[in-house]
Every structure is written in structure tokens, then in C-alpha cells.
Amino acid sequence: MKKINKIAFIGMGLINSSLARDLNDLGFYNSSSAYSRTKKTRNILRKLDIVDKVEESYEKTVKGADIVIIGVPVAAFSNVIKKISPFLMKSTIITDVGSVKKSLIKSAEKYLPKNIDFIPGHPIAGTENSGPEAGFKGLFKNGYCILTPKSNIKKESLDIIIKMWNLAGMKVDIMDPEYHDMVLAITSHIPHIIAYSIVGTISSLEKSIKKEVIKYAASGFKDFTRIAASDPIMWRDILLSNKGSILEMLSIFKKDLATLEKAIRNEDSKFLYNLFSKTRLIRKKINK
Ligand code: NAP
């Protein structure tokens, strides 16, 4: 496998800054650079000292880079690809960490030079916090990273990106992008919609009730709604970029919810018991 001389990070929020922390002292690359659009984040990055160079120009960041990892909100991806494309080497491998895949692949096909290997990626790990100070070493440990590359990329490029995620502690699965977007719609995107929506319902309740809800919120409610504190820009972008799969899964979910509502209305205790027994078994398997 070829030696990585330079790695470049575009966007240094929770995900890319955690990856930089993980890879920093493993000898995977000789040098690293990071682009951040705001002065505030660049100053934080210089203090954190997790990359060799912090840049405010796309050109300086990606010039001579063997790998470029894009870690920005998904709606910003297209513009980033467009801006960095003129400065890439033929051998540069482009990858990303975005939570949706189909729409990003479309942008890459539009703007990336044809001979460049693009290996879309999605590490299934994260928290509800944002920015480089929220990142930490070990975020990816024991998780899965899904890669959705086309079949015509060089095998060596794929091996390098797999090795990178393995070094960060992740197992790697290769998947079709459409299937990825469908699976993530139900496992991640719809749970976020439900959390945002239930917290939104509380905020629209009478002032006094809202106060009591916040005061007496039991741990179940707190656990369940933790993700409603996630970054609003990031989640706006994810939901709009995966509209098709989300609407498809949402219609199945709404049908199931209506069945549950009917069972409660009809006091169908057998149905409720059977459903909750089944879901309990499924949920226990997820913990394993
Ligand atoms: P984050 O902490 O909010 O950081 C986003 C980064 O993108 C910041 O460095 C920000 O720079 C930069 N940025 C924002 N808008 C930009 C624009 N228009 N042009 C250029 N740079 C821009 O986000 P994150 O949680 O790391 O998420 C990054 C990506 O990972 C997203 O695509 C998300 O879907 C995906 N992801 C997130 C999670 C999660 O749990 N958070 C998990 C898996 C995958 P400034 O600070 O300079 O503004």
C-alpha cells in the first residue's frame, strides 16, 4: 500500500476533528492540513494542535494531498467539491463522512475530474454536539463505517480508506448508496424527526404545562429526546437531502402508529402486549 504523505481535512467539526485526533500519532500520514471557513474555528484548531497546518484557502489545504476528507454539512458538500477540484492531483483520493450518500455522489459526479477516485463514507458514530472542541479521541471505536464506492475505483484507493477507518477503530461495510440512504432513514433520520417533533409539541403546550414537563422529565424522556439537541443546520440538510427514502419510511411508520392508536382506542390489550413483547426482544438484540 502506498505511503500517505499528506492528508487534508475540509471542515473540522465533531467528526473530522475526532478522526484527526485518532489518526494524529499513528504514523498513517507524514503531514496533515485542515480547512476551516471561519476565523473562530481556525483559532480553536491552532490551540487544539491536532493537525500540522490550519488553512483558510481550499487550494493550500488540498495541494499535494493524497487523501482529502470532507466533513461539512451535506448541503455544503457540492460547493466544496467544486472549489477543491482544480487543485487535486490525479492520484488524490477523495472521501467524506456525510450522513447521506446518493445526493453527494451526484455532486461529485458533476464536479470531480473523472480520473479521481471518490470513496463516499459514513462513520456511524457521533453525539449531539458540534464543532472541533466537541470532538474526542475514540469516538469511532468499535463502530461501523459504511463506504459506498463505485465499482470502477482503484482497489488500492479503497484499501487505503478501509485501513484509515480500521485504524480509527471501525469495522467497514461496503454498501449500495441507495440502500444506505434507506437504512439510515429508518435507523437515524426518522428517530431524529420524532425527537424534534415531540420536543416541538412540548414547546407549543401552555406555558405552565411546559414548565412541568421540563421539571419532571424522567430519564426515559431525556434519553429519548437527547438527539433533539443536535445541530439544526446539519439535520435540516440531512432530512432534505434524503427526502425520498425518509418519506417512504415515514409512511410505513405512520401506518404502524395509526394501528397502535387504534389498539389503544379499542383497549386491545392483547395487541399491545404482543407488540411490546416483540419490540422488547428486538431492542435487546440491538444492545448486544
Ligand atoms: P459540525 O461539528 O457542525 O462541523 C461542521 C464543519 O463544517 C465545521 O468545521 C464548519 O466550519 C464547516 N462548515 C459548515 N458549513 C460550511 C460551508 N458552507 N462551507 C465550508 N465549511 C462549512 O459537523 P459534524 O457533526 O462534524 O458533521 C460533519 C458531517 O458529518 C456532516 O455531513 C454530517 O452529516 C456527518 N456526520 C455527522 C455525525 C454526527 O453525529 N454529528 C455522525 C456521522 C456523520 P466552521 O466551524 O468554520 O463554520
Side-chain angles (χ1 to χ4, degrees):
M1 194 176 289
K2 80 172 182 186
K3 178 81 191 152
I4 306 303
N5 186 39
K6 176 177 167 181
I7 193 163
F9 296 91
I10 305 286
M12 279 298 263
L14 170 78
I15 300 297
N16 263 359
S17 78
S18 296
L19 186 59
R21 283 171 172 93
D22 278 333
L23 299 177
N24 210 1
D25 44 10
L26 294 180
F28 178 59
Y29 46 76
N30 294 331
S31 72
S32 57
S33 64
Y35 165 89
S36 228
R37 62 180 177 154
T38 61
K39 197 172 172 192
K40 187 175 162 223
T41 304
R42 291 195 294 274
N43 287 339
I44 294 171
L45 287 171
R46 288 188 183 106
K47 280 196 194 123
L48 288 174
D49 196 25
I50 48 179
V51 284
D52 299 318
K53 282 198 172 153
V54 178
E55 307 282 8
E56 59 177 298
S57 115
Y58 284 115
E59 180 174 3
K60 282 187 184 161
T61 312
V62 304
K63 209 167 183 182
D66 300 299
I67 302 176
V68 176
I69 309 172
I70 303 173
V72 298
V74 291
F77 179 87
S78 170
N79 185 48
V80 166
I81 282 280
K82 197 167 138 188
K83 292 264 172 65
I84 64 171
S85 280
F87 312 116
L88 303 172
M89 304 187 294
K90 265 191 196 156
S91 58
T92 304
I93 304 166
I94 306 288
T95 188
D96 78 298
V97 296
S99 306
V100 300
K101 299 278 56 104
K102 242 171 43 183
S103 62
L104 300 196
I105 291 170
K106 236 186 192 171
S107 309
E109 277 169 356
K110 191 166 172 196
Y111 295 116
L112 268 188
K114 293 281 164 279
N115 48 8
I116 286 191
D117 281 341
F118 173 47
I119 304 182
H122 180 196
I124 312 295
T127 72
E128 70 279 22
N129 303 317
S130 315
E133 287 167 311
F136 57 94
K137 208 172 177 155
L139 170 66
F140 306 107
K141 207 166 174 212
N142 299 325
Y144 280 94
C145 180
I146 300 173
L147 301 178
T148 64
K150 283 208 155 163
S151 56
N152 61 355
I153 53 145
K154 291 183 271 310
K155 184 179 176 305
E156 192 190 19
S157 304
L158 182 60
D159 288 344
I160 288 170
I161 299 303
I162 291 176
K163 185 179 171 193
M164 180 182 84
W165 286 112
N166 287 160
L167 285 171
M170 295 200 116
K171 287 163 267 188
V172 171
D173 278 341
I174 309 289
M175 206 179 265
D176 173 74
E178 205 151 315
Y179 189 63
H180 165 278
D181 287 0
M182 195 64 93
V183 170
L184 267 292
I186 191 67
T187 55
S188 169
H189 307 168
I190 288 176
H192 274 81
I193 292 173
I194 296 167
Y196 279 127
S197 147
I198 200 157
V199 174
T201 304
I202 285 173
S203 82
S204 67
L205 289 174
E206 290 288 317
K207 233 182 176 174
S208 58
I209 300 174
K210 188 163 68 181
K211 221 173 84 194
E212 300 315 310
V213 170
I214 291 167
K215 187 170 167 192
Y216 297 121
S219 70
F221 182 80
K222 279 191 197 159
D223 289 350
F224 172 64
T225 55
R226 178 184 56 79
I227 51 179
S230 301
D231 187 72
I233 295 178
M234 187 173 105
W235 279 95
R236 176 200 65 190
D237 289 2
I238 291 172
L239 301 187
L240 295 181
S241 307
N242 196 21
K243 187 171 130 186
S245 302
I246 289 172
L247 292 181
E248 204 176 321
M249 288 295 164
L250 211 47
S251 82
I252 298 172
F253 174 74
K254 281 193 319 201
K255 224 169 88 198
D256 290 343
L257 195 61
T259 309
L260 189 54
E261 185 187 356
K262 196 169 137 203
I264 295 168
R265 185 174 297 117
N266 297 340
E267 296 175 19
D268 188 344
S269 60
K270 194 171 162 210
F271 175 89
L272 295 177
Y273 177 79
N274 286 342
L275 175 69
F276 299 160
S277 302
K278 199 171 103 189
T279 56
R280 186 184 202 194
L281 284 178
I282 295 168
R283 184 60 184 85
K284 280 189 171 168
K285 272 192 202 151
I286 296 172
N287 274 347
K288 276 186 187 161

